[in-house]
Amino acid sequence: MRNITDRSFIKQLLKRSGQISLVRRSKFNTFSKGNKNELVTDVDIEIGRYIYNQISTKYPKDAIKCEDGSITKNGSNSIVWYIDPLDGTTNYIHGLPFFAISISRYDRKKSFFLSSGTYIPFYDQLFIALGGTITELNGQQIKVSDNKRLKKSLILTGMSLNVKENGKEAKKFMRISSISAGTRRTGSAALDLCYVASGFADAYYHFDLKQWDFAAGCHLVINAGGRISNINSISNFNFSEGTILATNGLLHKELYRELAE
């Protein structure tokens, strides 16, 4: 029953947040978060506060980690919500449609995703993951691709804000691009992970992310039959490390070896 409640609740949060993002696309204010390349808008903050307040009211004992809009809230149980109010803010600022709202409810004691959702407002694509089995796009069950060859795979990725100082990321990008069917950067980790889960792309990797960037996407990929790990360790996934490799499972070892070199 809890998952059914979460499905309805998360869908409501995502749809309302998406509506806010679309209505505000032509009228918003932009601020720097400290790094000149790391920007936030008052839309991020408005959506963050809305989601934060709704979750706090419905699940007062749960912890909350939200990128923008409110401070982190410590809970009294093992449950934590990871919220990214607007993943792809730079795209949003420039009018590109590649942005998403992402929410995930995770049990830290059991290391288990309870319920997650990502919404891509411009395309009206709503991704929901529940428990250990359900992964849906607009109500239809989805699964990862069945591509077994890296040479024929489409790979999604992103780069850190300090990519100029961290030259290895650019070198990895060129390497993976040269041995695959191509590499794409949308500017939204949440969106990219949704597209791996739905089989539109075969894999995704990134060297520097926060938990709210990938929590919901990880749940989607796992439930859709894929595999996740850190880039530096194929045997497990450490939430706090910040690197991620997500694939259809069939390409995981090969892509891991290429990134680990």
Side-chain angles (χ1 to χ4, degrees):
M1 183 64 68
R2 178 174 59 188
N3 279 344
I4 295 174
T5 302
D6 284 350
R7 181 205 291 264
S8 176
F9 180 58
I10 289 176
K11 181 177 179 180
Q12 169 196 325
L13 294 181
L14 291 172
K15 285 283 192 174
R16 174 57 184 155
S17 299
Q19 183 181 39
I20 293 171
S21 71
L22 293 177
V23 169
R24 296 285 313 276
R25 282 188 83 199
S26 60
K27 188 176 182 180
F28 56 84
N29 297 306
T30 305
F31 313 94
S32 172
K33 295 174 72 172
N35 185 316
K36 66 179 181 179
N37 293 321
E38 190 173 8
L39 302 174
V40 63
T41 70
D42 54 352
V43 181
D44 296 71
I45 295 170
E46 179 181 350
I47 292 174
R49 286 175 177 167
Y50 163 70
I51 297 174
Y52 181 96
N53 290 336
Q54 292 294 312
I55 292 174
S56 293
T57 300
K58 188 173 180 65
Y59 297 100
K61 295 182 180 180
D62 291 2
I64 301 175
K65 292 189 177 182
C66 180
E67 182 176 16
D68 300 300
S70 298
I71 60 173
T72 297
K73 174 190 173 185
N74 295 319
S76 58
N77 58 28
S78 63
I79 309 300
V80 58
W81 291 79
Y82 295 104
I83 306 165
D84 196 335
L86 202 61
D87 188 51
T89 298
T90 300
N91 290 341
Y92 185 83
I93 291 169
H94 289 272
L96 285 174
F98 311 128
F99 58 90
I101 298 107
S102 184
I103 302 171
S104 184
R105 193 178 189 218
Y106 182 74
D107 189 328
R108 290 175 288 190
K109 185 176 181 179
K110 297 180 179 179
S111 298
F112 183 74
F113 289 102
L114 297 170
S115 48
S116 304
T118 298
Y119 185 48
I120 306 172
F122 191 87
Y123 297 110
D124 193 25
Q125 294 175 321
L126 178 64
F127 295 82
I128 296 288
L130 301 174
T133 56
I134 296 174
T135 307
E136 300 174 342
L137 165 55
N138 292 343
Q140 300 297 313
Q141 188 75 12
I142 56 175
K143 63 178 181 178
V144 295
S145 72
D146 58 4
N147 192 352
K148 298 179 180 179
R149 300 181 62 188
L150 182 57
K151 184 179 180 179
K152 293 186 176 181
S153 298
L154 180 63
I155 312 298
L156 303 179
T157 189
M159 289 191 180
S160 307
L161 292 174
N162 63 341
V163 66
K164 184 177 180 180
E165 291 77 24
N166 193 355
K168 73 174 183 179
E169 292 187 29
K171 292 179 180 178
K172 297 292 184 185
F173 181 89
M174 290 187 288
R175 170 63 180 166
I176 301 304
S177 297
S178 69
I179 60 175
S180 67
T183 309
R184 302 287 184 269
R185 292 180 60 200
T186 69
S188 170
L191 182 150
D192 288 344
L193 287 164
C194 286
Y195 287 175
V196 173
S198 53
F200 301 154
D202 303 294
Y204 171 78
Y205 72 90
H206 202 296
F207 286 92
D208 185 19
L209 291 176
K210 301 297 184 183
Q211 293 163 332
W212 46 68
D213 293 317
F214 56 67
C218 285
H219 192 182
L220 289 162
V221 170
I222 292 169
N223 278 19
R227 182 177 178 182
I228 62 169
S229 74
N230 298 117
I231 292 177
N232 302 318
S233 174
I234 197 172
S235 60
N236 59 19
F237 184 68
N238 184 338
F239 241 57
S240 61
E241 184 179 304
T243 71
I244 183 173
L245 172 60
T247 74
N248 63 4
L250 303 172
L251 302 166
H252 208 89
K253 290 183 179 179
E254 185 178 3
L255 186 52
Y256 169 79
R257 286 195 299 268
E258 293 293 342
L259 289 170
E261 287 185 359

